[in-house]
Each structure stands twice: as C-alpha cells, then as structure tokens.
mmCIF file with all atom_site columns, all heavy atoms in Angstrom:
data_model
loop_
_atom_site.group_PDB
_atom_site.id
_atom_site.type_symbol
_atom_site.label_atom_id
_atom_site.label_alt_id
_atom_site.label_comp_id
_atom_site.label_asym_id
_atom_site.label_entity_id
_atom_site.label_seq_id
_atom_site.pdbx_PDB_ins_code
_atom_site.Cartn_x
_atom_site.Cartn_y
_atom_site.Cartn_z
_atom_site.occupancy
_atom_site.B_iso_or_equiv
_atom_site.pdbx_formal_charge
_atom_site.auth_seq_id
_atom_site.auth_comp_id
_atom_site.auth_asym_id
_atom_site.auth_atom_id
_atom_site.pdbx_PDB_model_num
ATOM 1   N N   . LEU A 1 1  ? 0.832  -1.200 0.000   1.00 0.00 ? 490 LEU A N   1
ATOM 2   C CA  . LEU A 1 1  ? 0.000  0.000  0.000   1.00 0.00 ? 490 LEU A CA  1
ATOM 3   C C   . LEU A 1 1  ? 0.867  1.250  0.000   1.00 0.00 ? 490 LEU A C   1
ATOM 4   O O   . LEU A 1 1  ? 0.588  2.205  -0.735  1.00 0.00 ? 490 LEU A O   1
ATOM 5   C CB  . LEU A 1 1  ? -0.929 -0.010 1.216   1.00 0.00 ? 490 LEU A CB  1
ATOM 6   C CG  . LEU A 1 1  ? -1.890 1.171  1.327   1.00 0.00 ? 490 LEU A CG  1
ATOM 7   C CD1 . LEU A 1 1  ? -2.838 1.190  0.140   1.00 0.00 ? 490 LEU A CD1 1
ATOM 8   C CD2 . LEU A 1 1  ? -2.669 1.065  2.617   1.00 0.00 ? 490 LEU A CD2 1
ATOM 9   N N   . LYS A 1 2  ? 1.949  1.230  0.797   1.00 0.00 ? 491 LYS A N   1
ATOM 10  C CA  . LYS A 1 2  ? 2.870  2.372  0.821   1.00 0.00 ? 491 LYS A CA  1
ATOM 11  C C   . LYS A 1 2  ? 3.505  2.572  -0.552  1.00 0.00 ? 491 LYS A C   1
ATOM 12  O O   . LYS A 1 2  ? 3.594  3.689  -1.050  1.00 0.00 ? 491 LYS A O   1
ATOM 13  C CB  . LYS A 1 2  ? 3.981  2.159  1.850   1.00 0.00 ? 491 LYS A CB  1
ATOM 14  C CG  . LYS A 1 2  ? 3.629  2.526  3.240   1.00 0.00 ? 491 LYS A CG  1
ATOM 15  C CD  . LYS A 1 2  ? 4.865  2.407  4.104   1.00 0.00 ? 491 LYS A CD  1
ATOM 16  C CE  . LYS A 1 2  ? 4.555  2.608  5.548   1.00 0.00 ? 491 LYS A CE  1
ATOM 17  N NZ  . LYS A 1 2  ? 5.728  2.435  6.382   1.00 0.00 ? 491 LYS A NZ  1
ATOM 18  N N   . ALA A 1 3  ? 3.982  1.485  -1.136  1.00 0.00 ? 492 ALA A N   1
ATOM 19  C CA  . ALA A 1 3  ? 4.633  1.570  -2.446  1.00 0.00 ? 492 ALA A CA  1
ATOM 20  C C   . ALA A 1 3  ? 3.669  2.128  -3.489  1.00 0.00 ? 492 ALA A C   1
ATOM 21  O O   . ALA A 1 3  ? 4.049  2.963  -4.323  1.00 0.00 ? 492 ALA A O   1
ATOM 22  C CB  . ALA A 1 3  ? 5.156  0.204  -2.866  1.00 0.00 ? 492 ALA A CB  1
ATOM 23  N N   . ARG A 1 4  ? 2.413  1.684  -3.438  1.00 0.00 ? 493 ARG A N   1
ATOM 24  C CA  . ARG A 1 4  ? 1.426  2.193  -4.402  1.00 0.00 ? 493 ARG A CA  1
ATOM 25  C C   . ARG A 1 4  ? 1.140  3.664  -4.175  1.00 0.00 ? 493 ARG A C   1
ATOM 26  O O   . ARG A 1 4  ? 0.989  4.433  -5.127  1.00 0.00 ? 493 ARG A O   1
ATOM 27  C CB  . ARG A 1 4  ? 0.146  1.378  -4.304  1.00 0.00 ? 493 ARG A CB  1
ATOM 28  C CG  . ARG A 1 4  ? 0.286  0.031  -4.964  1.00 0.00 ? 493 ARG A CG  1
ATOM 29  C CD  . ARG A 1 4  ? -1.006 -0.710 -5.159  1.00 0.00 ? 493 ARG A CD  1
ATOM 30  N NE  . ARG A 1 4  ? -2.196 -0.071 -4.624  1.00 0.00 ? 493 ARG A NE  1
ATOM 31  C CZ  . ARG A 1 4  ? -3.221 -0.730 -4.107  1.00 0.00 ? 493 ARG A CZ  1
ATOM 32  N NH1 . ARG A 1 4  ? -3.189 -2.034 -4.033  1.00 0.00 ? 493 ARG A NH1 1
ATOM 33  N NH2 . ARG A 1 4  ? -4.274 -0.083 -3.660  1.00 0.00 ? 493 ARG A NH2 1
ATOM 34  N N   . ALA A 1 5  ? 1.088  4.084  -2.914  1.00 0.00 ? 494 ALA A N   1
ATOM 35  C CA  . ALA A 1 5  ? 0.837  5.492  -2.609  1.00 0.00 ? 494 ALA A CA  1
ATOM 36  C C   . ALA A 1 5  ? 1.988  6.366  -3.108  1.00 0.00 ? 494 ALA A C   1
ATOM 37  O O   . ALA A 1 5  ? 1.762  7.435  -3.678  1.00 0.00 ? 494 ALA A O   1
ATOM 38  C CB  . ALA A 1 5  ? 0.645  5.681  -1.110  1.00 0.00 ? 494 ALA A CB  1
ATOM 39  N N   . ILE A 1 6  ? 3.206  5.889  -2.903  1.00 0.00 ? 495 ILE A N   1
ATOM 40  C CA  . ILE A 1 6  ? 4.374  6.646  -3.378  1.00 0.00 ? 495 ILE A CA  1
ATOM 41  C C   . ILE A 1 6  ? 4.382  6.714  -4.896  1.00 0.00 ? 495 ILE A C   1
ATOM 42  O O   . ILE A 1 6  ? 4.636  7.765  -5.493  1.00 0.00 ? 495 ILE A O   1
ATOM 43  C CB  . ILE A 1 6  ? 5.671  6.026  -2.826  1.00 0.00 ? 495 ILE A CB  1
ATOM 44  C CG1 . ILE A 1 6  ? 5.753  6.256  -1.319  1.00 0.00 ? 495 ILE A CG1 1
ATOM 45  C CG2 . ILE A 1 6  ? 6.896  6.603  -3.524  1.00 0.00 ? 495 ILE A CG2 1
ATOM 46  C CD1 . ILE A 1 6  ? 6.857  5.492  -0.632  1.00 0.00 ? 495 ILE A CD1 1
ATOM 47  N N   . ALA A 1 7  ? 4.094  5.596  -5.550  1.00 0.00 ? 496 ALA A N   1
ATOM 48  C CA  . ALA A 1 7  ? 4.047  5.570  -7.013  1.00 0.00 ? 496 ALA A CA  1
ATOM 49  C C   . ALA A 1 7  ? 2.972  6.506  -7.538  1.00 0.00 ? 496 ALA A C   1
ATOM 50  O O   . ALA A 1 7  ? 3.175  7.234  -8.516  1.00 0.00 ? 496 ALA A O   1
ATOM 51  C CB  . ALA A 1 7  ? 3.819  4.152  -7.500  1.00 0.00 ? 496 ALA A CB  1
ATOM 52  N N   . HIS A 1 8  ? 1.820  6.521  -6.883  1.00 0.00 ? 497 HIS A N   1
ATOM 53  C CA  . HIS A 1 8  ? 0.726  7.405  -7.298  1.00 0.00 ? 497 HIS A CA  1
ATOM 54  C C   . HIS A 1 8  ? 1.139  8.871  -7.142  1.00 0.00 ? 497 HIS A C   1
ATOM 55  O O   . HIS A 1 8  ? 0.884  9.692  -8.027  1.00 0.00 ? 497 HIS A O   1
ATOM 56  C CB  . HIS A 1 8  ? -0.527 7.111  -6.481  1.00 0.00 ? 497 HIS A CB  1
ATOM 57  C CG  . HIS A 1 8  ? -1.701 7.950  -6.865  1.00 0.00 ? 497 HIS A CG  1
ATOM 58  N ND1 . HIS A 1 8  ? -2.334 7.826  -8.086  1.00 0.00 ? 497 HIS A ND1 1
ATOM 59  C CD2 . HIS A 1 8  ? -2.334 8.944  -6.202  1.00 0.00 ? 497 HIS A CD2 1
ATOM 60  C CE1 . HIS A 1 8  ? -3.307 8.711  -8.153  1.00 0.00 ? 497 HIS A CE1 1
ATOM 61  N NE2 . HIS A 1 8  ? -3.338 9.398  -7.017  1.00 0.00 ? 497 HIS A NE2 1
ATOM 62  N N   . ALA A 1 9  ? 1.783  9.191  -6.026  1.00 0.00 ? 498 ALA A N   1
ATOM 63  C CA  . ALA A 1 9  ? 2.230  10.567 -5.803  1.00 0.00 ? 498 ALA A CA  1
ATOM 64  C C   . ALA A 1 9  ? 3.280  10.955 -6.837  1.00 0.00 ? 498 ALA A C   1
ATOM 65  O O   . ALA A 1 9  ? 3.291  12.087 -7.336  1.00 0.00 ? 498 ALA A O   1
ATOM 66  C CB  . ALA A 1 9  ? 2.795  10.713 -4.397  1.00 0.00 ? 498 ALA A CB  1
ATOM 67  N N   . ALA A 1 10 ? 4.172  10.023 -7.176  1.00 0.00 ? 499 ALA A N   1
ATOM 68  C CA  . ALA A 1 10 ? 5.212  10.312 -8.165  1.00 0.00 ? 499 ALA A CA  1
ATOM 69  C C   . ALA A 1 10 ? 4.604  10.607 -9.532  1.00 0.00 ? 499 ALA A C   1
ATOM 70  O O   . ALA A 1 10 ? 5.152  11.411 -10.295 1.00 0.00 ? 499 ALA A O   1
ATOM 71  C CB  . ALA A 1 10 ? 6.184  9.141  -8.249  1.00 0.00 ? 499 ALA A CB  1
ATOM 72  N N   . GLU A 1 11 ? 3.491  9.976  -9.848  1.00 0.00 ? 500 GLU A N   1
ATOM 73  C CA  . GLU A 1 11 ? 2.836  10.243 -11.129 1.00 0.00 ? 500 GLU A CA  1
ATOM 74  C C   . GLU A 1 11 ? 2.202  11.625 -11.160 1.00 0.00 ? 500 GLU A C   1
ATOM 75  O O   . GLU A 1 11 ? 2.141  12.265 -12.208 1.00 0.00 ? 500 GLU A O   1
ATOM 76  C CB  . GLU A 1 11 ? 1.749  9.192  -11.386 1.00 0.00 ? 500 GLU A CB  1
ATOM 77  C CG  . GLU A 1 11 ? 2.286  7.819  -11.683 1.00 0.00 ? 500 GLU A CG  1
ATOM 78  C CD  . GLU A 1 11 ? 1.186  6.776  -11.773 1.00 0.00 ? 500 GLU A CD  1
ATOM 79  O OE1 . GLU A 1 11 ? -0.006 7.148  -11.642 1.00 0.00 ? 500 GLU A OE1 1
ATOM 80  O OE2 . GLU A 1 11 ? 1.519  5.600  -11.956 1.00 0.00 ? 500 GLU A OE2 1
ATOM 81  N N   . ARG A 1 12 ? 1.764  12.100 -10.029 1.00 0.00 ? 501 ARG A N   1
ATOM 82  C CA  . ARG A 1 12 ? 1.028  13.368 -9.985  1.00 0.00 ? 501 ARG A CA  1
ATOM 83  C C   . ARG A 1 12 ? 1.932  14.589 -9.850  1.00 0.00 ? 501 ARG A C   1
ATOM 84  O O   . ARG A 1 12 ? 1.509  15.693 -10.129 1.00 0.00 ? 501 ARG A O   1
ATOM 85  C CB  . ARG A 1 12 ? 0.038  13.342 -8.827  1.00 0.00 ? 501 ARG A CB  1
ATOM 86  C CG  . ARG A 1 12 ? -0.922 12.155 -8.982  1.00 0.00 ? 501 ARG A CG  1
ATOM 87  C CD  . ARG A 1 12 ? -2.097 12.270 -8.142  1.00 0.00 ? 501 ARG A CD  1
ATOM 88  N NE  . ARG A 1 12 ? -2.935 13.335 -8.724  1.00 0.00 ? 501 ARG A NE  1
ATOM 89  C CZ  . ARG A 1 12 ? -3.899 13.931 -8.069  1.00 0.00 ? 501 ARG A CZ  1
ATOM 90  N NH1 . ARG A 1 12 ? -4.158 13.584 -6.853  1.00 0.00 ? 501 ARG A NH1 1
ATOM 91  N NH2 . ARG A 1 12 ? -4.609 14.862 -8.642  1.00 0.00 ? 501 ARG A NH2 1
ATOM 92  N N   . ILE A 1 13 ? 3.176  14.399 -9.406  1.00 0.00 ? 502 ILE A N   1
ATOM 93  C CA  . ILE A 1 13 ? 4.095  15.522 -9.223  1.00 0.00 ? 502 ILE A CA  1
ATOM 94  C C   . ILE A 1 13 ? 4.986  15.619 -10.457 1.00 0.00 ? 502 ILE A C   1
ATOM 95  O O   . ILE A 1 13 ? 5.765  14.709 -10.731 1.00 0.00 ? 502 ILE A O   1
ATOM 96  C CB  . ILE A 1 13 ? 4.950  15.347 -7.955  1.00 0.00 ? 502 ILE A CB  1
ATOM 97  C CG1 . ILE A 1 13 ? 4.045  15.242 -6.732  1.00 0.00 ? 502 ILE A CG1 1
ATOM 98  C CG2 . ILE A 1 13 ? 5.937  16.497 -7.808  1.00 0.00 ? 502 ILE A CG2 1
ATOM 99  C CD1 . ILE A 1 13 ? 4.773  14.875 -5.460  1.00 0.00 ? 502 ILE A CD1 1
ATOM 100 N N   . PRO A 1 14 ? 4.879  16.709 -11.206 1.00 0.00 ? 503 PRO A N   1
ATOM 101 C CA  . PRO A 1 14 ? 5.665  16.810 -12.440 1.00 0.00 ? 503 PRO A CA  1
ATOM 102 C C   . PRO A 1 14 ? 7.166  16.872 -12.152 1.00 0.00 ? 503 PRO A C   1
ATOM 103 O O   . PRO A 1 14 ? 7.620  17.552 -11.238 1.00 0.00 ? 503 PRO A O   1
ATOM 104 C CB  . PRO A 1 14 ? 5.186  18.113 -13.076 1.00 0.00 ? 503 PRO A CB  1
ATOM 105 C CG  . PRO A 1 14 ? 4.368  18.807 -12.066 1.00 0.00 ? 503 PRO A CG  1
ATOM 106 C CD  . PRO A 1 14 ? 4.044  17.854 -10.969 1.00 0.00 ? 503 PRO A CD  1
ATOM 107 N N   . GLY A 1 15 ? 7.929  16.132 -12.926 1.00 0.00 ? 504 GLY A N   1
ATOM 108 C CA  . GLY A 1 15 ? 9.380  16.178 -12.823 1.00 0.00 ? 504 GLY A CA  1
ATOM 109 C C   . GLY A 1 15 ? 9.986  15.306 -11.749 1.00 0.00 ? 504 GLY A C   1
ATOM 110 O O   . GLY A 1 15 ? 11.207 15.183 -11.669 1.00 0.00 ? 504 GLY A O   1
ATOM 111 N N   . ILE A 1 16 ? 9.178  14.675 -10.917 1.00 0.00 ? 505 ILE A N   1
ATOM 112 C CA  . ILE A 1 16 ? 9.723  13.901 -9.789  1.00 0.00 ? 505 ILE A CA  1
ATOM 113 C C   . ILE A 1 16 ? 10.465 12.661 -10.282 1.00 0.00 ? 505 ILE A C   1
ATOM 114 O O   . ILE A 1 16 ? 11.440 12.235 -9.668  1.00 0.00 ? 505 ILE A O   1
ATOM 115 C CB  . ILE A 1 16 ? 8.620  13.530 -8.771  1.00 0.00 ? 505 ILE A CB  1
ATOM 116 C CG1 . ILE A 1 16 ? 9.221  13.070 -7.445  1.00 0.00 ? 505 ILE A CG1 1
ATOM 117 C CG2 . ILE A 1 16 ? 7.730  12.444 -9.292  1.00 0.00 ? 505 ILE A CG2 1
ATOM 118 C CD1 . ILE A 1 16 ? 9.686  14.165 -6.587  1.00 0.00 ? 505 ILE A CD1 1
ATOM 119 N N   . LYS A 1 17 ? 10.041 12.099 -11.382 1.00 0.00 ? 506 LYS A N   1
ATOM 120 C CA  . LYS A 1 17 ? 10.693 10.887 -11.884 1.00 0.00 ? 506 LYS A CA  1
ATOM 121 C C   . LYS A 1 17 ? 12.091 11.177 -12.432 1.00 0.00 ? 506 LYS A C   1
ATOM 122 O O   . LYS A 1 17 ? 12.905 10.275 -12.528 1.00 0.00 ? 506 LYS A O   1
ATOM 123 C CB  . LYS A 1 17 ? 9.841  10.227 -12.956 1.00 0.00 ? 506 LYS A CB  1
ATOM 124 C CG  . LYS A 1 17 ? 8.597  9.567  -12.403 1.00 0.00 ? 506 LYS A CG  1
ATOM 125 C CD  . LYS A 1 17 ? 7.843  8.863  -13.491 1.00 0.00 ? 506 LYS A CD  1
ATOM 126 C CE  . LYS A 1 17 ? 6.604  8.191  -12.934 1.00 0.00 ? 506 LYS A CE  1
ATOM 127 N NZ  . LYS A 1 17 ? 5.844  7.515  -13.975 1.00 0.00 ? 506 LYS A NZ  1
ATOM 128 N N   . GLU A 1 18 ? 12.356 12.425 -12.812 1.00 0.00 ? 507 GLU A N   1
ATOM 129 C CA  . GLU A 1 18 ? 13.657 12.771 -13.379 1.00 0.00 ? 507 GLU A CA  1
ATOM 130 C C   . GLU A 1 18 ? 14.741 12.975 -12.317 1.00 0.00 ? 507 GLU A C   1
ATOM 131 O O   . GLU A 1 18 ? 15.914 13.075 -12.638 1.00 0.00 ? 507 GLU A O   1
ATOM 132 C CB  . GLU A 1 18 ? 13.551 14.035 -14.240 1.00 0.00 ? 507 GLU A CB  1
ATOM 133 C CG  . GLU A 1 18 ? 12.900 13.795 -15.592 1.00 0.00 ? 507 GLU A CG  1
ATOM 134 C CD  . GLU A 1 18 ? 11.381 13.675 -15.508 1.00 0.00 ? 507 GLU A CD  1
ATOM 135 O OE1 . GLU A 1 18 ? 10.787 14.316 -14.631 1.00 0.00 ? 507 GLU A OE1 1
ATOM 136 O OE2 . GLU A 1 18 ? 10.811 12.931 -16.314 1.00 0.00 ? 507 GLU A OE2 1
ATOM 137 N N   . ILE A 1 19 ? 14.358 13.063 -11.047 1.00 0.00 ? 508 ILE A N   1
ATOM 138 C CA  . ILE A 1 19 ? 15.337 13.266 -9.977  1.00 0.00 ? 508 ILE A CA  1
ATOM 139 C C   . ILE A 1 19 ? 15.973 11.924 -9.637  1.00 0.00 ? 508 ILE A C   1
ATOM 140 O O   . ILE A 1 19 ? 15.280 10.992 -9.247  1.00 0.00 ? 508 ILE A O   1
ATOM 141 C CB  . ILE A 1 19 ? 14.678 13.863 -8.722  1.00 0.00 ? 508 ILE A CB  1
ATOM 142 C CG1 . ILE A 1 19 ? 14.066 15.220 -9.036  1.00 0.00 ? 508 ILE A CG1 1
ATOM 143 C CG2 . ILE A 1 19 ? 15.702 13.996 -7.596  1.00 0.00 ? 508 ILE A CG2 1
ATOM 144 C CD1 . ILE A 1 19 ? 13.266 15.801 -7.894  1.00 0.00 ? 508 ILE A CD1 1
ATOM 145 N N   . PRO A 1 20 ? 17.298 11.816 -9.793  1.00 0.00 ? 509 PRO A N   1
ATOM 146 C CA  . PRO A 1 20 ? 17.949 10.547 -9.458  1.00 0.00 ? 509 PRO A CA  1
ATOM 147 C C   . PRO A 1 20 ? 17.829 10.248 -7.964  1.00 0.00 ? 509 PRO A C   1
ATOM 148 O O   . PRO A 1 20 ? 17.893 11.137 -7.123  1.00 0.00 ? 509 PRO A O   1
ATOM 149 C CB  . PRO A 1 20 ? 19.415 10.779 -9.826  1.00 0.00 ? 509 PRO A CB  1
ATOM 150 C CG  . PRO A 1 20 ? 19.422 11.989 -10.684 1.00 0.00 ? 509 PRO A CG  1
ATOM 151 C CD  . PRO A 1 20 ? 18.212 12.786 -10.331 1.00 0.00 ? 509 PRO A CD  1
ATOM 152 N N   . VAL A 1 21 ? 17.653 8.986  -7.648  1.00 0.00 ? 510 VAL A N   1
ATOM 153 C CA  . VAL A 1 21 ? 17.486 8.559  -6.267  1.00 0.00 ? 510 VAL A CA  1
ATOM 154 C C   . VAL A 1 21 ? 18.725 8.899  -5.447  1.00 0.00 ? 510 VAL A C   1
ATOM 155 O O   . VAL A 1 21 ? 18.625 9.272  -4.283  1.00 0.00 ? 510 VAL A O   1
ATOM 156 C CB  . VAL A 1 21 ? 17.186 7.042  -6.205  1.00 0.00 ? 510 VAL A CB  1
ATOM 157 C CG1 . VAL A 1 21 ? 17.148 6.551  -4.780  1.00 0.00 ? 510 VAL A CG1 1
ATOM 158 C CG2 . VAL A 1 21 ? 15.890 6.736  -6.909  1.00 0.00 ? 510 VAL A CG2 1
ATOM 159 N N   . VAL A 1 22 ? 19.890 8.827  -6.042  1.00 0.00 ? 511 VAL A N   1
ATOM 160 C CA  . VAL A 1 22 ? 21.139 9.123  -5.334  1.00 0.00 ? 511 VAL A CA  1
ATOM 161 C C   . VAL A 1 22 ? 21.127 10.553 -4.806  1.00 0.00 ? 511 VAL A C   1
ATOM 162 O O   . VAL A 1 22 ? 21.542 10.812 -3.671  1.00 0.00 ? 511 VAL A O   1
ATOM 163 C CB  . VAL A 1 22 ? 22.354 8.887  -6.259  1.00 0.00 ? 511 VAL A CB  1
ATOM 164 C CG1 . VAL A 1 22 ? 23.634 9.329  -5.600  1.00 0.00 ? 511 VAL A CG1 1
ATOM 165 C CG2 . VAL A 1 22 ? 22.432 7.439  -6.673  1.00 0.00 ? 511 VAL A CG2 1
ATOM 166 N N   . VAL A 1 23 ? 20.617 11.477 -5.598  1.00 0.00 ? 512 VAL A N   1
ATOM 167 C CA  . VAL A 1 23 ? 20.565 12.879 -5.173  1.00 0.00 ? 512 VAL A CA  1
ATOM 168 C C   . VAL A 1 23 ? 19.639 13.029 -3.973  1.00 0.00 ? 512 VAL A C   1
ATOM 169 O O   . VAL A 1 23 ? 19.950 13.748 -3.013  1.00 0.00 ? 512 VAL A O   1
ATOM 170 C CB  . VAL A 1 23 ? 20.113 13.776 -6.348  1.00 0.00 ? 512 VAL A CB  1
ATOM 171 C CG1 . VAL A 1 23 ? 19.873 15.199 -5.882  1.00 0.00 ? 512 VAL A CG1 1
ATOM 172 C CG2 . VAL A 1 23 ? 21.137 13.744 -7.465  1.00 0.00 ? 512 VAL A CG2 1
ATOM 173 N N   . VAL A 1 24 ? 18.526 12.358 -3.993  1.00 0.00 ? 513 VAL A N   1
ATOM 174 C CA  . VAL A 1 24 ? 17.570 12.429 -2.886  1.00 0.00 ? 513 VAL A CA  1
ATOM 175 C C   . VAL A 1 24 ? 18.185 11.842 -1.620  1.00 0.00 ? 513 VAL A C   1
ATOM 176 O O   . VAL A 1 24 ? 18.054 12.421 -0.527  1.00 0.00 ? 513 VAL A O   1
ATOM 177 C CB  . VAL A 1 24 ? 16.257 11.699 -3.251  1.00 0.00 ? 513 VAL A CB  1
ATOM 178 C CG1 . VAL A 1 24 ? 15.318 11.638 -2.067  1.00 0.00 ? 513 VAL A CG1 1
ATOM 179 C CG2 . VAL A 1 24 ? 15.593 12.376 -4.432  1.00 0.00 ? 513 VAL A CG2 1
ATOM 180 N N   . VAL A 1 25 ? 18.876 10.717 -1.739  1.00 0.00 ? 514 VAL A N   1
ATOM 181 C CA  . VAL A 1 25 ? 19.508 10.088 -0.573  1.00 0.00 ? 514 VAL A CA  1
ATOM 182 C C   . VAL A 1 25 ? 20.598 10.981 -0.008  1.00 0.00 ? 514 VAL A C   1
ATOM 183 O O   . VAL A 1 25 ? 20.704 11.169 1.213   1.00 0.00 ? 514 VAL A O   1
ATOM 184 C CB  . VAL A 1 25 ? 20.061 8.687  -0.948  1.00 0.00 ? 514 VAL A CB  1
ATOM 185 C CG1 . VAL A 1 25 ? 20.920 8.132  0.156   1.00 0.00 ? 514 VAL A CG1 1
ATOM 186 C CG2 . VAL A 1 25 ? 18.922 7.746  -1.262  1.00 0.00 ? 514 VAL A CG2 1
ATOM 187 N N   . GLU A 1 26 ? 21.426 11.577 -0.875  1.00 0.00 ? 515 GLU A N   1
ATOM 188 C CA  . GLU A 1 26 ? 22.485 12.472 -0.401  1.00 0.00 ? 515 GLU A CA  1
ATOM 189 C C   . GLU A 1 26 ? 21.899 13.702 0.290   1.00 0.00 ? 515 GLU A C   1
ATOM 190 O O   . GLU A 1 26 ? 22.399 14.142 1.319   1.00 0.00 ? 515 GLU A O   1
ATOM 191 C CB  . GLU A 1 26 ? 23.393 12.884 -1.551  1.00 0.00 ? 515 GLU A CB  1
ATOM 192 C CG  . GLU A 1 26 ? 24.311 11.772 -2.008  1.00 0.00 ? 515 GLU A CG  1
ATOM 193 C CD  . GLU A 1 26 ? 25.183 12.159 -3.177  1.00 0.00 ? 515 GLU A CD  1
ATOM 194 O OE1 . GLU A 1 26 ? 24.918 13.195 -3.824  1.00 0.00 ? 515 GLU A OE1 1
ATOM 195 O OE2 . GLU A 1 26 ? 26.135 11.421 -3.453  1.00 0.00 ? 515 GLU A OE2 1
ATOM 196 N N   . ALA A 1 27 ? 20.832 14.251 -0.267  1.00 0.00 ? 516 ALA A N   1
ATOM 197 C CA  . ALA A 1 27 ? 20.188 15.408 0.361   1.00 0.00 ? 516 ALA A CA  1
ATOM 198 C C   . ALA A 1 27 ? 19.642 15.031 1.735   1.00 0.00 ? 516 ALA A C   1
ATOM 199 O O   . ALA A 1 27 ? 19.774 15.800 2.694   1.00 0.00 ? 516 ALA A O   1
ATOM 200 C CB  . ALA A 1 27 ? 19.066 15.931 -0.531  1.00 0.00 ? 516 ALA A CB  1
ATOM 201 N N   . ALA A 1 28 ? 19.066 13.855 1.853   1.00 0.00 ? 517 ALA A N   1
ATOM 202 C CA  . ALA A 1 28 ? 18.538 13.401 3.141   1.00 0.00 ? 517 ALA A CA  1
ATOM 203 C C   . ALA A 1 28 ? 19.668 13.225 4.155   1.00 0.00 ? 517 ALA A C   1
ATOM 204 O O   . ALA A 1 28 ? 19.512 13.576 5.335   1.00 0.00 ? 517 ALA A O   1
ATOM 205 C CB  . ALA A 1 28 ? 17.776 12.086 2.973   1.00 0.00 ? 517 ALA A CB  1
ATOM 206 N N   . GLU A 1 29 ? 20.812 12.705 3.720   1.00 0.00 ? 518 GLU A N   1
ATOM 207 C CA  . GLU A 1 29 ? 21.953 12.546 4.628   1.00 0.00 ? 518 GLU A CA  1
ATOM 208 C C   . GLU A 1 29 ? 22.458 13.908 5.115   1.00 0.00 ? 518 GLU A C   1
ATOM 209 O O   . GLU A 1 29 ? 22.810 14.064 6.287   1.00 0.00 ? 518 GLU A O   1
ATOM 210 C CB  . GLU A 1 29 ? 23.076 11.783 3.934   1.00 0.00 ? 518 GLU A CB  1
ATOM 211 C CG  . GLU A 1 29 ? 22.780 10.312 3.765   1.00 0.00 ? 518 GLU A CG  1
ATOM 212 C CD  . GLU A 1 29 ? 23.903 9.549  3.084   1.00 0.00 ? 518 GLU A CD  1
ATOM 213 O OE1 . GLU A 1 29 ? 24.872 10.179 2.610   1.00 0.00 ? 518 GLU A OE1 1
ATOM 214 O OE2 . GLU A 1 29 ? 23.819 8.316  3.038   1.00 0.00 ? 518 GLU A OE2 1
ATOM 215 N N   . ILE A 1 30 ? 22.478 14.898 4.239   1.00 0.00 ? 519 ILE A N   1
ATOM 216 C CA  . ILE A 1 30 ? 22.923 16.240 4.634   1.00 0.00 ? 519 ILE A CA  1
ATOM 217 C C   . ILE A 1 30 ? 21.928 16.847 5.624   1.00 0.00 ? 519 ILE A C   1
ATOM 218 O O   . ILE A 1 30 ? 22.331 17.483 6.606   1.00 0.00 ? 519 ILE A O   1
ATOM 219 C CB  . ILE A 1 30 ? 23.115 17.130 3.396   1.00 0.00 ? 519 ILE A CB  1
ATOM 220 C CG1 . ILE A 1 30 ? 24.303 16.608 2.588   1.00 0.00 ? 519 ILE A CG1 1
ATOM 221 C CG2 . ILE A 1 30 ? 23.327 18.587 3.791   1.00 0.00 ? 519 ILE A CG2 1
ATOM 222 C CD1 . ILE A 1 30 ? 24.457 17.244 1.231   1.00 0.00 ? 519 ILE A CD1 1
ATOM 223 N N   . VAL A 1 31 ? 20.654 16.636 5.394   1.00 0.00 ? 520 VAL A N   1
ATOM 224 C CA  . VAL A 1 31 ? 19.636 17.134 6.332   1.00 0.00 ? 520 VAL A CA  1
ATOM 225 C C   . VAL A 1 31 ? 19.830 16.497 7.704   1.00 0.00 ? 520 VAL A C   1
ATOM 226 O O   . VAL A 1 31 ? 19.744 17.174 8.742   1.00 0.00 ? 520 VAL A O   1
ATOM 227 C CB  . VAL A 1 31 ? 18.218 16.878 5.783   1.00 0.00 ? 520 VAL A CB  1
ATOM 228 C CG1 . VAL A 1 31 ? 17.167 17.103 6.847   1.00 0.00 ? 520 VAL A CG1 1
ATOM 229 C CG2 . VAL A 1 31 ? 17.958 17.760 4.581   1.00 0.00 ? 520 VAL A CG2 1
#
C-alpha cells in the first residue's frame, strides 16, 4: 500500500521521476 501510494504521488508531481534517487539520498543525509 505504501509503495502504491508513493508511485501514485510520483505520477502526480511533475518532474519527480527525473530526480535521481542518489541525489535524494544524499540530500537526506545532509539534512
């Protein structure tokens, strides 16, 4: 259910699929 919710949100937010996962993980580590 979580995975489906995240996938659904990713479809609705423009440009989210183009962000590499590595960048998101690095940003989270810096935070």
